Amino acid sequence: MKFDFLNQAEKRNVSMKKHNSNWYTKDVIKCVIEMIGQAEVSGKNCGKIIDILARHIFHTAIDSKDLPSERSSLRYADKGHVLAKQQIAEALLQSSNIDLHSDGTTRNCQKIVGHQLSTDGGQLLSCGFTSVFKEDSDTLVDVAFNLLQELADLYTDREVDTVFQSMLQNLTGLMSERGSVMKSFNKAFNIQRMNTLGIDENMEFLHCNAHFLLGLSSESKKVFRKWEQHLNEKIGRDGLEKFKKFSSSSENAAYRFIRTACDVLGSRGDEKNICRASWEAYCHLQSQNSSITIFRANRFNNVFQAAASLHYHRNDIVTFLQDLIASLNLKQKSVLHDARSDSIDCAMVALGLLYHKVTGPY
């Protein structure tokens, strides 16, 4: 939708309520629900933001009496929450085979458990997040059963226990990680489900593929560490006297090169050593774009993708640091010496192939 602001010098007065009533229109209600649910706007500020956008973007004046109050905004947020629960409940009752996905994480020293449902029709529905005091199997089972009970409580015109058992009957699979707590959760949930329904039918247990990919990253570190121990020579910067005090037994040369090269040439390196702007200018002169990314050790795919990029840019990295940077600091010299190493480049090829064949397509 386009607006000709030049022809709207004078602001238009607009009401957001239905004619001759105190009820807001459906568009206003949906706007507030999305602001709180998707944009994480507080209920107190919804009306203020609507007023600011109306005045500056659409050149429209809205009477302060027509703006939704904090109480109204929170009421509409609750309405959206109930509608989302109703959608999940209907999916549970209408689908005969549903998988429950559960996973835990920690944010700001607070344990959080998230749930999702995947139906036999291909729907993937988020059930939100729940804060827990501790992440053990009994707590996880209670949280999951309470979730189903809340969904069943929506059907006040029907027997709640019957609805709850129907949902539990249609829940035939659990997906989780391979940790010991989640294995105990699967077993405990399955037993409680069978006792509640009075059946002997076991559920299917699935494990998230992402944890296999996490294993690839951690195991590759061990492989390259053993590989370096069997070499008869130091590779990369490790063969130089001036870098001896920086040598570390906990980090192999391949992973060190990935980390330091991304710090120097990546889009978010450290301020002291980064030369991203000059590197991008050099790539532009070569009629190509830099594919070197940010390094984040806790992201399994980052290592493999960065390795492929460093092998692709190897000759350019050497030329750039060797011939075009007037004065290199110690970290930049480290990247240059590692980039020159054929042995380290072989490691980049091996990790890069994993990116092209396994982690990238995933």
Side-chain angles (χ1 to χ4, degrees):
M1 182 180 295
K2 296 182 178 179
F3 294 88
D4 185 1
F5 296 131
L6 295 178
N7 295 328
Q8 296 184 24
E10 295 183 359
K11 297 181 179 180
R12 297 178 290 112
N13 292 317
V14 175
S15 175
M16 299 198 300
K17 296 182 179 180
K18 296 180 181 179
H19 297 295
N20 300 323
S21 72
N22 291 323
W23 298 96
Y24 286 101
T25 63
K26 290 183 178 180
D27 291 334
V28 174
I29 295 175
K30 288 190 291 185
C31 177
V32 171
I33 291 175
E34 287 195 29
M35 289 173 70
I36 295 177
Q38 295 187 20
E40 300 182 0
V41 176
S42 66
K44 182 179 180 180
N45 292 326
C46 284
K48 296 179 182 178
I49 292 178
I50 291 174
D51 178 51
I52 292 171
L53 289 174
R55 285 188 289 108
H56 295 290
I57 303 300
F58 303 110
H59 294 190
T60 299
I62 299 177
D63 195 307
S64 59
K65 297 179 181 178
D66 288 340
L67 294 171
S69 63
E70 179 181 3
R71 182 177 179 181
S72 297
S73 298
L74 294 177
R75 185 170 68 249
Y76 297 141
D78 290 339
K79 183 177 182 179
H81 186 64
V82 172
L83 290 174
K85 281 188 173 181
Q86 187 173 357
Q87 180 187 14
I88 296 172
E90 290 176 355
L92 274 168
L93 293 173
Q94 295 172 3
S95 303
S96 57
N97 291 289
I98 294 180
D99 296 331
L100 175 65
H101 307 202
S102 57
D103 195 12
T105 187
T106 301
R107 290 289 184 273
N108 298 325
C109 301
Q110 184 178 21
K111 295 183 181 297
I112 300 172
V113 178
H115 291 94
Q116 286 182 319
L117 293 174
S118 60
T119 69
D120 49 10
Q123 283 184 298
L124 184 62
L125 302 172
S126 174
C127 302
F129 301 90
T130 304
S131 299
V132 296
F133 176 72
K134 59 180 179 178
E135 195 177 341
D136 57 8
S137 58
D138 292 336
T139 302
L140 295 177
V141 171
D142 289 340
V143 170
F145 269 79
N146 288 338
L147 170 64
L148 296 176
Q149 189 64 58
E150 288 180 11
L151 297 176
D153 289 341
L154 293 173
Y155 293 85
T156 55
D157 56 335
R158 298 162 62 179
E159 191 173 348
V160 175
D161 289 340
T162 302
V163 174
F164 176 76
Q165 292 186 6
S166 297
M167 292 180 176
L168 203 58
Q169 179 72 43
N170 295 337
L171 200 63
T172 57
L174 296 175
M175 174 177 281
S176 63
E177 59 177 87
R178 297 177 183 270
S180 58
V181 172
M182 299 310 298
K183 290 180 180 178
S184 299
F185 161 73
N186 290 342
K187 183 178 180 180
F189 188 97
N190 184 44
I191 292 174
Q192 187 162 334
R193 175 180 178 271
M194 291 192 295
N195 292 338
T196 303
L197 297 176
I199 59 175
D200 296 328
E201 182 181 354
N202 289 314
M203 304 182 71
E204 297 290 337
F205 302 128
L206 309 172
H207 296 290
C208 180
N209 287 338
H211 290 272
F212 163 72
L213 297 175
L214 286 171
L216 283 180
S217 178
S218 59
E219 289 300 317
S220 64
K221 289 183 181 180
K222 300 176 184 178
V223 170
F224 283 114
R225 188 176 297 115
K226 291 180 179 179
W227 172 64
E228 288 185 24
Q229 291 173 354
H230 286 83
L231 292 176
N232 295 323
E233 60 178 354
K234 297 293 185 179
I235 60 176
R237 79 174 193 190
D238 293 336
L240 300 176
E241 184 70 24
K242 59 184 174 182
F243 289 105
K244 279 190 175 181
K245 64 178 180 180
F246 295 101
S247 61
S248 173
S249 59
S250 62
E251 187 178 37
N252 61 73
Y255 273 69
R256 178 195 66 225
F257 176 50
I258 294 172
R259 175 180 58 81
T260 55
C262 289
D263 285 344
V264 171
L265 304 173
S267 55
R268 290 185 185 178
D270 59 271
E271 295 182 1
K272 181 179 178 180
N273 304 289
I274 191 170
C275 49
R276 175 71 176 188
S278 300
W279 166 248
E280 287 187 327
Y282 171 79
C283 290
H284 180 71
L285 292 175
Q286 303 301 314
S287 300
Q288 59 180 345
N289 295 321
S290 173
S291 59
I292 298 177
T293 61
I294 309 167
F295 181 77
R296 293 290 183 270
N298 62 342
R299 299 180 184 176
F300 70 88
N301 197 34
N302 180 263
V303 170
F304 305 112
Q305 183 179 4
S309 300
L310 293 175
H311 171 69
Y312 174 75
H313 287 294
R314 182 194 179 190
N315 294 331
D316 290 322
I317 292 173
V318 172
T319 301
F320 171 71
L321 293 176
Q322 180 177 273
D323 301 335
L324 300 180
I325 300 298
S327 178
L328 298 178
N329 60 31
L330 207 55
K331 191 169 187 176
Q332 293 166 348
K333 290 179 181 178
S334 169
V335 174
L336 174 60
H337 290 298
D338 284 343
R340 286 172 174 169
S341 171
D342 292 336
S343 296
I344 291 180
D345 186 59
C346 287
M348 297 301 102
V349 172
L351 293 171
L353 285 174
L354 280 174
Y355 168 70
H356 282 287
K357 298 296 184 181
V358 181
T359 67
Y362 178 84

